[in-house]
Amino acid sequence: MKIYTRHGDKGKTQIIGASMIPKSDSRVEAYGTVDELNSWIGYTASILTGKTQEMRAELEEIQQILFDIGRDLATISTDKKHEYVFTDDLSAKQTKWLEDIIDKYVAAAPKIDRFILPGGSPEASALHVARTITRRAERRIVALQEQDSINSNTLVFINRLSDYFFAAARYANVKNDQDDILYRNGNPVFK
Amino acid sequence: MKIYTRHGDKGKTQIIGASMIPKSDSRVEAYGTVDELNSWIGYTASILTGKTQEMRAELEEIQQILFDIGRDLATISTDKKHEYVFTDDLSAKQTKWLEDIIDKYVAAAPKIDRFILPGGSPEASALHVARTITRRAERRIVALQEQDSINSNTLVFINRLSDYFFAAARYANVKNDQDDILYRNGNPVFK
Amino acid sequence: MKIYTRHGDKGKTQIIGASMIPKSDSRVEAYGTVDELNSWIGYTASILTGKTQEMRAELEEIQQILFDIGRDLATISTDKKHEYVFTDDLSAKQTKWLEDIIDKYVAAAPKIDRFILPGGSPEASALHVARTITRRAERRIVALQEQDSINSNTLVFINRLSDYFFAAARYANVKNDQDDILYRNGNPVFK
Ligand code: B12
Ligand code: B12
Ligand code: B12
Ligand SMILES: C[C@H]1O[C@@H](n2cnc3c(N)ncnc32)[C@H](O)[C@@H]1O
Ligand SMILES: C[C@H]1O[C@@H](n2cnc3c(N)ncnc32)[C@H](O)[C@@H]1O
Ligand SMILES: C[C@H]1O[C@@H](n2cnc3c(N)ncnc32)[C@H](O)[C@@H]1O
Ligand SMILES: [Mg+2]
Ligand SMILES: [Mg+2]
Ligand SMILES: [Mg+2]
């Protein structure tokens, strides 16, 4: 197998349902950023310690789902042959799955009403980085949506995903006995 | 507490002083990138070793300041109720604080007149990554400034911050007895 | 030496062959992203373990080449005094060098015909992150190319570089006895 085909050497590439589009296209930007997020999640999973091993299966499930989402984002809207794989049912089920874990993690961490500094143990910090890359991916998907129609289910899951990473980061600090540090000039922001 | 409100599921969100704007807005992009930087700094702090522990307090102080900066960036310019929190005085004082540390770190590292490869020990390498994410955040703030007025003090601090990370990365290598590797085809660039 | 000159405090900066341009310019974005990639490669090299030490020299060589590429990207196209340093000969030679390593690494890893989840050992995961930052840099270079002419040799090398990181990540997992996990809903995509 040759993984390099040299076809993209001039800056154009293939997506699903179209021949060649520029790599700078907002669609390529969107699923490319999801791929970056997915890789960072892989890195985060690779540095989990004994105390946070239970997150490994969750992170792997999220990676699988991000591939379904990436596939829909990589499909041009004019393509009739392909159907979106991240269906309403799948999206509802998997977003609910995230929400239940969020509720569990939030309940296990000390109550806060102010912003916290993103950090703590290496895995908590990596989860905060995942949170912010998820939000970057969300911004790129919204920018794509302004250019062309997308599977809007993807945005729901991605929005919840950054909240999952916030809750998971706090939970990882609980497991590692590390207190979150509050933003010193903050007012109460969480209700 | 529910951290997920589901309000942002369609791609719009709240900022300070405005109702709902698209998540793809250059203002959201700017403070979102500052949040990503802040999270990466958290990760960097989490992998400091015994030899670079003295940087922990500095990194935490920088995280606090980035929250002040983020707050001003998250405030729409037409908002009359909110005043910028990163005042001229604060900005002057905290930029000076960075400059003094830069001078100390630069004095402690071998003199160079050429570019170095960003790398070395894990913490030095992470500081170089912080340097480049700071510069990405700077580019996003400049792009916002082209769309809407901002607190220009934020740009001064962010510009100095990437120089801090350069100096800190070199200092971390000194502490870890790792020589920086020079760019082989470089001419003298530093004066 | 003062590394901070304060010249860029208002959002403009110098490039090669021009006085001051906005930091938000697509040219600054392109070489700034190459700098971010280069720093991440430094981080990746810093966490290589005994089993993947052989990659250290490769990563350092790639960092050197990215400086040549960065220099050409930092040179404005109207500049007559400077010549591109990443010449046709250099580019052909160094792209071939990458292709030979890719072939070696692909041959050493189990054959796959489906996408894999980016992850595994910390170094394999970091190599996948490098893969996706390389692709982000590629998108930024393509966007610059739509605004102004560039040294097109840079795109060829960068395109092959992300395939190198894919092959290297898989190879690192082989060395660490970690199986790659397949995307569960995938069809055969690799030929
Ligand atoms: C989208 C995409 C990606 C996305 C994946 C998106 C996601 N899901 O998140 C991302 C950006 C992550 C990606 C990454 C990579 N990719 Co890619 N990717 C593609 C692309 C454009 C589509 C692949 C795809 O999903 N096809 C699946 C579906 C939709 O298409 P399909 O198989 O034709 O399926 C249809 C039919 O088969 C039919 N069908 C399918 N199943 C069934 C079953 C039944 C019963 C029936 C009736 C019908 C049916 O229905 C489908 C819809 O019509 C292809 C190029 C192309 N246009 O095919 C390259 C491609 C597969 N990628 C390629 C490469 C090299 C890579 C990378 C190695 C690049 C890199 N250096 O990073 C990585 C590897 C990533 C990994 N982790 O393994 C190469 C592979 C070259 C080769 N050797 O063959 C390709 C071919 C592009 C190229 N260069 O030409 N990629
Ligand atoms: C900006 C912002 C952010 C920024 C913070 C920016 C920065 N500083 O760097 C960023 C992007 C980092 C962020 C992240 C998150 N955020 Co946020 N964020 C906001 C936002 C828009 C403003 C918050 C803020 O700073 N308010 C402070 C100030 C300016 O407003 P204020 O409290 O009203 O203060 C005024 C008055 O109180 C008065 N006042 C204040 N003090 C005093 C004192 C005196 C004496 C007087 C007289 C007056 C006075 O003056 C102020 C100015 O008028 C709010 C939404 C909103 N519009 O409120 C969401 C919000 C707080 N965020 C929210 C969430 C969920 C998050 C995240 C968890 C999201 C995620 N998954 O990543 C993270 C958590 C980050 C962390 N580390 O803790 C939710 C919280 C939901 C909840 N449960 O209540 C909110 C409400 C948005 C929403 N979804 O509806 N956020
Ligand atoms: C491009 C650039 C970068 C790029 C490098 C790009 C790349 N290669 O990947 C990036 C973005 C990475 C970068 C980063 C940094 N940079 Co810088 N960078 C520059 C810039 C714009 C050009 C430097 C360069 O490559 N010059 C080399 C060549 C092309 O120019 P030249 O030396 O004049 O060479 C010509 C002549 O000398 C002649 N020539 C050369 N050799 C020979 C030989 C012979 C025989 C002959 C006849 C002729 C000849 O031909 C050349 C072509 O005409 C300068 C500003 C400027 N305009 O000079 C800042 C500059 C060097 N950078 C600076 C700084 C501070 C940094 C950072 C520390 C910033 C930060 N905080 O991250 C980092 C350090 C990075 C590191 N790893 O060491 C400062 C240095 C300040 C100082 N103390 O002197 C400068 C001066 C900008 C400024 N602030 O004013 N930088
Ligand atoms: C918590 C706050 O974060 C901002 N916000 C919401 N979504 C994103 C995103 N994808 N990227 C950056 N910032 C975002 C909004 O201003 C919200 O109120
Ligand atoms: C050292 C060189 O880096 C470039 N430069 C200055 N600021 C930024 C930034 N935010 N991002 C990327 N590159 C930048 C300029 O070209 C400067 O001269
Ligand atoms: C494997 C698939 O990845 C996509 N692709 C090619 N180059 C890039 C890039 N720089 N960034 C993101 N995605 C890219 C194309 O759709 C290709 O077919
Ligand atoms: Mg949200
Ligand atoms: Mg600067
Ligand atoms: Mg490619």
Side-chain angles (χ1 to χ4, degrees), chain C residues 107-150:
Chain C
K111 235 180 125 15
I112 44 164
D113 63 1
R114 278 144 214 264
F115 288 130
I116 53 162
L117 301 187
S121 69
E123 62 265 62
S125 305
L127 288 161
H128 272 296
V129 174
R131 177 179 67 76
T132 58
I133 303 181
T134 303
R135 285 156 73 85
R136 172 150 55 88
E138 184 182 43
R139 298 193 298 273
R140 298 301 177 268
I141 299 172
V142 171
L144 165 60
Q145 194 185 24
E146 285 159 8
Q147 305 293 321
D148 194 4
S149 74
I150 61 160

Side-chain angles (χ1 to χ4, degrees), chain C residues 34-100:
Chain C
V34 171
D35 190 14
E36 185 177 342
L37 168 61
N38 219 174
S39 300
W40 179 260
I41 295 172
Y43 180 71
T44 304
S46 81
I47 63 165
L48 292 179
T49 58
K51 295 183 173 163
T52 48
Q53 276 302 334
E54 55 180 300
M55 280 179 196
R56 176 175 297 281
E58 282 165 28
L59 295 182
E60 187 181 316
E61 176 69 15
I62 291 166
Q63 285 192 302
Q64 293 283 0
I65 295 170
L66 287 177
F67 259 93
D68 291 341
I69 285 177
R71 184 166 154 172
D72 284 352
L73 292 173
T75 306
I76 204 161
S77 66
T78 51
D79 187 67
K80 293 288 165 255
K81 286 203 313 285
H82 298 88
E83 274 166 33
Y84 287 141
V85 296
F86 198 59
T87 58
D88 293 1
D89 279 6
L90 256 184
S91 167
K93 197 179 130 228
Q94 288 170 331
T95 304
K96 177 74 169 62
W97 170 72
L98 281 183
E99 291 175 352
D100 290 343

Side-chain angles (χ1 to χ4, degrees), chain B residues 115-116 131 162-163 187 191, chain C residues 2 14 67 70-71 82:
Chain B
F115 288 129
I116 53 162
R131 178 179 66 77
S162 67
D163 292 334
N187 305 314
K191 262 134 225 166
Chain C
K2 289 271 185 219
Q14 297 178 281
F67 259 93
R71 184 166 154 172
H82 298 88

Side-chain angles (χ1 to χ4, degrees), chain A residues 23, chain C residues 135 159 162:
Chain A
K23 289 180 182 178
Chain C
R135 285 156 73 85
N159 190 17
S162 67

Side-chain angles (χ1 to χ4, degrees), chain B residues 23 64 70 126 136 141 158 163:
Chain B
K23 290 181 182 177
Q64 293 283 359
R136 172 149 56 88
I141 300 171
I158 293 283
D163 292 334

